[in-house]
Amino acid sequence: MALDDRKLDVLRAIVEDYVSTQEPVGSKALVERHQLGVSPATVRNDMAVLEEEGYIRQPHTSAGRVPTDRGYRLFVDRLSTVKPLSPAERRAIERFLVGAVDLDDVVHRTVRLLAQLTRQVAVVQYPSLARSSVRHLELVPISTTRLMVVMIANTGRVEQRLVELPAPLDESQVTTLRRLTNEKLCGCKLSDTPPLVQSLVEESAPELRAATVALSTVLLETLVERHEERVALAGTANLTRGGLLDFSGSLRPILEALEEEVILLKLIGEVEPITRVRIGDENEIDNLRSASIVSTGYGPGVTVVGGLGVLGPTRMDYPGTIATVRAVARYVGELLAQN
């Protein structure tokens, strides 16, 4: 049945009270704390309908009610408004992230910041090379027959490889090779580079052909080979902050899931620019069916190169958590764009 506005207001009040108090919510407390404009008897009737429809449940006899996964979903979809961050919170995020010195520092600062602000477990995926583009390629002569190739992606990620040359190159030839390589590849997505690398070989001058072939082999390994995706994790201790009802009395399945990097990537690695909220049984991973995950993609400009998010109990401050995850993702994206 469709719920009228009054019952939706009662559900919103139950969710907000349970999130803040960690205690099952009764009709008397709802009337005292919220301006519902109706009697306790009316609230009890509304709660009975909400329970019958599966939006709230009674955890044990003679207790108040707590939201179900279905109740939280309705709250997130229809009842909650994302809390705007305060100017102080925005300044704190900006100050904390702007001090980062390199990509590793950005990721580790981001994951610690998310865990501190949301008081949940935070997960941040390193920018995926598969979604990155080439910002610059540097060729550094180690000797006349050996070059160091340094590939810098638009996300600040850096890859280094050695090239063994079949014959010596002088400094001017290295300069020419560097210029031609950057003209061909800079600004291109890594996934689009193989034909460009091939054309680099085909268009090279005879005296540079052998060196270009050697370089192209290493470039293809660097730009195209499947790179191991990495994630950073922080705030696991935050799982212990809640009450007994938060995780059905046991944290072990969740802790086991958090040890698996493949699972973490699955949680936040389906990179999209939109914010996703998965509540309880909506999670595909069995060990996480008592948890909720709020995640989003991040990257420079409109390009999404990685995912970040938080995991916590279904009894979560969804409006505040969604706002924080979005804000941090936006700041990280701006930082990568300026990098």
Side-chain angles (χ1 to χ4, degrees):
M1 65 179 279
L3 299 179
D4 58 36
D5 288 346
R6 193 184 68 217
K7 292 181 181 63
L8 290 173
D9 284 341
V10 171
L11 177 62
R12 180 194 288 112
I14 291 170
V15 171
E16 290 174 352
D17 275 14
Y18 183 56
V19 167
S20 64
T21 67
Q22 302 182 31
E23 296 289 339
V25 184
S27 57
K28 184 181 176 187
L30 287 179
V31 171
E32 289 171 354
R33 291 182 193 142
H34 299 271
Q35 304 296 316
L36 296 173
V38 292
S39 68
T42 301
V43 171
R44 280 195 296 276
N45 289 336
D46 289 343
M47 290 174 74
V49 173
L50 290 169
E51 187 169 8
E52 189 178 323
E53 293 296 313
Y55 294 106
I56 59 175
R57 65 183 177 86
Q58 189 174 25
H60 45 80
T61 311
S62 72
R65 303 301 189 271
V66 300
T68 62
D69 290 354
R70 189 178 184 206
Y72 285 123
R73 171 48 64 193
L74 185 62
F75 175 80
V76 169
D77 288 348
R78 288 186 55 190
L79 302 176
S80 64
T81 53
V82 176
K83 293 178 189 171
L85 297 186
S86 69
E89 287 172 320
R90 292 184 181 280
R91 283 195 300 272
I93 293 173
E94 195 169 3
R95 274 200 306 271
F96 195 75
L97 293 180
V98 161
V101 295
D102 58 21
L103 183 63
D104 272 329
D105 199 15
V106 169
V107 170
H108 286 110
R109 282 172 181 255
T110 301
V111 77
R112 292 201 311 274
L113 180 66
L114 265 179
Q116 288 167 13
L117 291 175
T118 64
R119 303 178 77 194
Q120 311 290 0
V121 181
V123 185
V124 177
Q125 178 189 16
Y126 276 76
S128 170
L129 271 182
R131 300 187 184 93
S132 304
S133 57
V134 180
R135 175 179 288 169
H136 181 70
L137 280 157
E138 188 56 56
L139 303 182
V140 183
I142 306 297
S143 70
T144 57
T145 58
R146 180 178 283 185
L147 293 176
M148 171 76 78
V149 180
V150 183
M151 191 281 293
I152 304 169
N154 63 328
T155 56
R157 189 159 169 176
V158 178
E159 296 287 320
Q160 298 181 13
R161 296 286 191 280
L162 276 176
V163 183
E164 300 290 345
L165 300 171
L169 286 185
D170 62 32
E171 193 173 319
S172 66
Q173 288 175 312
V174 173
T175 301
T176 301
L177 194 54
R178 180 188 298 121
R179 177 179 56 79
L180 293 171
T181 305
N182 276 289
E183 285 175 357
K184 183 67 72 173
L185 300 176
C186 276
C188 297
K189 286 187 67 177
L190 270 64
S191 55
D192 297 337
T193 54
L196 300 174
V197 172
Q198 183 58 38
S199 67
L200 187 67
V201 174
E202 293 167 356
E203 296 165 12
S204 61
E207 66 272 16
L208 287 177
R209 178 64 58 88
T212 308
V213 169
L215 174 62
S216 69
T217 302
V218 173
L219 284 176
L220 287 172
E221 290 173 358
T222 307
L223 300 171
V224 182
E225 72 179 15
R226 182 167 179 78
H227 291 265
E228 185 180 326
E229 300 290 359
R230 297 161 58 204
V231 294
L233 183 73
T236 308
N238 287 331
L239 292 173
T240 62
R241 289 176 33 252
L244 287 174
L245 290 175
D246 275 356
F247 297 108
S248 308
S250 176
L251 285 174
R252 185 170 182 172
I254 292 172
L255 293 172
E256 287 175 351
L258 292 176
E259 288 178 359
E260 298 290 334
E261 199 155 280
V262 174
I263 289 178
L264 297 180
L265 279 167
K266 190 163 188 175
L267 292 182
I268 56 133
E270 297 168 10
V271 182
E272 300 169 2
I274 60 170
T275 305
R276 295 185 64 189
V277 180
R278 279 168 288 186
I279 300 170
D281 282 337
E282 295 171 0
N283 288 302
E284 298 170 13
I285 298 153
D286 287 342
N287 283 5
L288 298 179
R289 292 192 187 276
S290 62
S292 286
I293 293 120
V294 178
S295 62
T296 192
Y298 73 89
V302 295
T303 306
V304 176
V305 296
L308 58 79
V310 298
L311 175 148
T314 54
R315 183 193 58 80
M316 179 188 286
D317 172 16
Y318 291 100
T321 301
I322 291 168
T324 302
V325 166
R326 285 179 181 171
V328 170
R330 187 170 63 251
Y331 277 108
V332 175
E334 289 171 2
L335 202 58
L336 293 179
Q338 296 163 10
N339 188 0

